[in-house]
Each structure stands twice: as C-alpha cells, then as structure tokens.
Amino acid sequence: THLLFVDAFLQNNRLDHVTQVMGYHPTYLDIFLRTQNFILRGDGPLPYDYRHFIAIMAAGRHQCSYLINLQKQEFLLQGGDQTWLKGLSKIPQKLRDLYDINKILAHRPWLLNKSHIEKLTKGKDSWSLAEVVHAIVLLAHFHSLASFVFGCGVNEELDHEGGHQHRLNMASSNPAGMLGSSPRTIPTPVSDKDDPWVTKLPSVSPSDQEVGVETLMQRMKSLSERSEEFSQEEKVKRFEHVESQSAELSSGLEPLTQVKADIGQFVDDPTFLYQDFARRGEVSDIPTFRVQ
C-alpha cells in the first residue's frame, strides 16, 4: 500500500482522500490508479484539458463538489482556459454537445441510443468515434466515482473550501496567532473539556456492559422464536406488504433540484433526474430487463 501511495502522490501531486480510503483494498487501488491515470493522462484522442473538463461535467451532474474541485485544479495545470470554469456557457460548442449524453448516462442510461452518438459525429464541431468513446469512458468513470465519494463520506481536501481544519487554541499572549520562540506561545489543540460541542458520554462499567449484552441476546432469541411461528406464505405476504409501502413512500418524494452556485454553473437542466423505469403494476414503454 505504501508504494501505491507513493505512485498516487507522483501522479496527482497529492495523496487525496479517495486514494487513502481505497488504500484499505490495495489490489483494487492498484487497478483504479492505473485506469484513471490512463484515461486522464495516457495516449488518447482527447486533449488533456478536455478530459478534465469532461470529468467536471460528470461530477457536476451528481453535485459532487469534491471531484469538481480536484478536477478544476487538474484542468488548470493542463493549461485549460480559466474562463471555461465560469460555466457551461463559456465552453466550446463541441463540449456543449456532449452534455445530453452526460445527463442521460448519469441518471437514465437506458435512454441512450445510437441517435445520440450520431448527433455528435455529424455536422459542425463533430466528434470522431474515438473521441466519443473516450468521452463516454470518462463520463462513466466519474459518475461512478462520485457515488463512491458520497457512499464513503469522503471529505473535502484540506486546501479546498469546506475542508477540515484543525482548530488551535492560541495563547492569550499571542493574539495575532503567530508562533513565538517561547514554548508558552506554542498553540495547543482544543481539549474536549473546553469544547462546548463535545457531548460527554456517561462511563459504563464492565458489569453493566455484560448485562446489556445478555439482555440484547435474549431479545434476539425471542424475536427469532416468534418469526418461526409464521408460515412461509405468511412471511411472503408480510414482505410484499412492507415492500409495497416502501414503494409508495419513495414515489411520493419530490427530488431536490436546488443546486449550489459553485456547482450550478456546471449543471444544465437540474430537474433531469433518475426515474424508475419499471414500476410494478405499470406497463413500461421502454424494453428493459430487470433482475428481481
């Protein structure tokens, strides 16, 4: 893992949080780093600044500020035009034409068909087939990576807005916050007792813990005995009833379409979101195969 971290640092000029999380699975991290390095920095038909801006567009569909901030820096390091970062209205038409495929792949990939590809490969500012393939690989990669970031709760990098900053309790003799030569002026971390936001948990003795575990085991045993009283048919009916209730709840939820200003400039048509394409009891016009 240490060698992989070294490689990641040399590739990205930082050891980002995603790499650190994936470090718990070295085999996967090795494949991930080689794949991402190839599609972003390896041989390919797309210019390097295009690659990173496509990554920004993909992350924007999922409102993943973490990836957007990382790719902004990479975009500028590759000589990208800074005016592009002001929003989609400032980018070349060729990249704008890719946006329909971006939002479809992000939210309703089953709607993608050959007409979307043909639209890109014909007319003014057309894409070559190799460029389309490269762009779609980038979009799919960063769509899935955004899900990984959210699923693992990855925080912003330290140098990004919203990144975690370690709070320091500066000595009263040093109000300017500057380090002095005296040990008394060295900042010390804020202790829990000085932090009003830290909740003090009551101490639990070992005997209380044992009693709690025994009580929990007894409850689990009683629940398992109760479940054995029901027949298989009754269990199926109960499951279907709960499933139908959850489906009704999910269908009644309104999607969130409000987008932060720093993300919204990379998002067009924020109301285009995921929709269930195969609801039970309804006839779908889209031929799909869904694993139950």
Side-chain angles (χ1 to χ4, degrees), residues 24-55:
Y24 289 103
H25 305 278
T27 304
Y28 185 87
L29 175 60
D30 181 31
I31 297 171
F32 171 82
L33 289 176
R34 286 190 283 113
T35 301
Q36 181 163 277
N37 186 63
F38 179 75
I39 62 177
L40 287 176
R41 303 179 183 88
D43 294 336
L46 289 176
Y48 294 115
D49 56 343
Y50 268 53
R51 302 181 192 190
H52 291 287
F53 198 86
I54 290 172

Side-chain angles (χ1 to χ4, degrees), residues 184-226:
R184 294 182 181 179
T185 62
I186 296 177
T188 56
V190 177
S191 62
D192 290 348
K193 65 181 181 180
D194 298 328
D195 193 342
W197 298 102
V198 175
T199 303
K200 301 296 183 180
L201 297 177
S203 58
V204 181
S205 64
S207 60
D208 292 339
Q209 290 180 350
E210 293 177 0
V211 172
V213 172
E214 291 178 359
T215 304
L216 179 62
M217 294 298 293
Q218 290 177 358
R219 290 182 179 178
M220 292 174 62
K221 184 178 179 181
S222 63
L223 287 173
S224 62
E225 291 174 351
R226 287 178 57 188

Side-chain angles (χ1 to χ4, degrees), residues 145-158:
L145 187 56
S147 298
F148 178 87
V149 169
F150 288 128
C152 294
V154 177
N155 294 322
E156 294 283 352
E157 298 292 327
L158 295 180

Side-chain angles (χ1 to χ4, degrees), residues 137-168:
V137 170
L138 285 165
L139 291 173
H141 175 79
F142 282 95
H143 288 158
S144 58
L145 187 56
S147 298
F148 178 87
V149 169
F150 288 128
C152 294
V154 177
N155 294 322
E156 294 283 352
E157 298 292 327
L158 295 180
D159 55 332
H160 292 166
E161 183 179 355
H164 173 73
Q165 298 292 331
H166 184 63
R167 292 182 302 161
L168 297 176

